[in-house]
Amino acid sequence: MKQLEDIQHWYHGLQQRERQLVLAASAVIVITLLYLTIWEPIHKGVEVQTQKYQTHIDILDWMQAAATEVRTLQASGAAKRQTNSSQPVSLLVEKSAATAGLKPYIRKLESTSDKGARVTIDDASFDQVLLWLSTLQTQYGISVSSANFDRADKAGAINARMTLDRD
C-alpha cells in the first residue's frame, strides 16, 4: 500500500499540465492494453473461423459437384455395361486380362461358379491391375469381393489374390 501512497503523492506533486499528460498517457496505455489483450485476439479468432468456414463451404460445394459427376458416370457406366451374363466370369476375366496385357501375370485362375472366380496375379503393375479391375466393373459388372495385395520385388509391381463376383 505504501507504493500506492507514493504514486499518489508523486501525482499530486505534479503541475496541472503534467497531470493531464499523465492521465492522457495512462488512458492510451489502458486502451492499448485492452486492444492487445481483448479486441485483437477476438478479431483474429473471428477471421480464422471465417476462413475455416469458407474452406468447409468450398469443400462441400466440391463434394456436391463430385457426387453429381459420380452419379452421372455411374449411370453412363451402367448403360455401357455389356450383358454377357451367359458367359462364365472366369472366361470374361481371362479375356479382359488378355486385353489389358495382364494375361502373362496370371498364375492361377479358377472358377468358383458361373458368377465367380479366384485369380492369382504375380509381379503385375499395380496401376495396370487397378485399370483392369475398373474395366471389369464398368463393362462386365464384375467386382472384387475380397482381395489381398502384396508388394512385389519389382518397383510398382504387386502380387494379388482376388475373388471376383458378378453383380
Side-chain angles (χ1 to χ4, degrees):
M1 289 300 248
K2 182 169 177 356
Q3 293 170 342
L4 187 58
E5 289 174 7
D6 288 343
I7 292 173
Q8 285 178 346
H9 180 58
W10 170 80
Y11 179 74
H12 290 298
L14 296 175
Q15 292 179 6
Q16 182 63 26
R17 278 191 118 185
E18 291 172 337
R19 286 183 196 169
Q20 290 174 345
L21 280 173
V22 168
L23 284 176
S26 299
V28 168
I29 290 171
V30 167
I31 289 171
T32 302
L33 284 174
L34 288 174
Y35 176 79
L36 292 175
T37 59
I38 297 174
W39 176 257
E40 185 67 17
I42 290 174
H43 182 67
K44 287 213 186 252
V46 167
E47 281 183 15
V48 167
Q49 292 303 320
T50 302
Q51 289 174 348
K52 284 182 181 178
Y53 175 74
Q54 187 57 47
T55 301
H56 290 325
I57 293 296
D58 294 344
I59 290 171
L60 176 65
D61 290 343
W62 176 83
M63 289 177 100
Q64 288 173 338
T68 302
E69 185 177 349
V70 165
R71 281 189 219 102
T72 303
L73 290 173
Q74 283 177 336
S76 66
K80 290 181 182 178
R81 187 177 289 172
Q82 295 178 5
T83 54
N84 293 319
S85 59
S86 62
Q87 294 182 339
V89 169
S90 58
L91 181 62
L92 294 173
V93 167
E94 187 174 5
K95 284 181 181 179
S96 64
T99 304
L102 288 173
K103 191 166 183 176
Y105 303 104
I106 293 180
R107 298 293 169 240
K108 187 175 185 182
L109 172 61
E110 59 184 14
S111 182
T112 57
S113 68
D114 280 349
K115 293 188 173 195
R118 280 192 208 103
V119 183
T120 303
I121 298 175
D122 288 335
D123 294 324
S125 165
F126 179 70
D127 295 338
Q128 199 173 7
V129 170
L130 286 182
L131 288 171
W132 173 61
L133 291 173
S134 174
T135 301
L136 282 174
Q137 174 64 43
T138 57
Q139 291 186 0
Y140 302 108
I142 298 171
S143 59
V144 178
S145 60
S146 69
N148 185 7
F149 296 99
D150 295 318
R151 183 182 305 163
D153 295 332
K154 195 168 60 172
I158 60 164
N159 299 323
R161 288 174 302 285
M162 298 175 282
T163 303
L164 306 171
D165 293 310
R166 181 178 291 139
D167 294 336

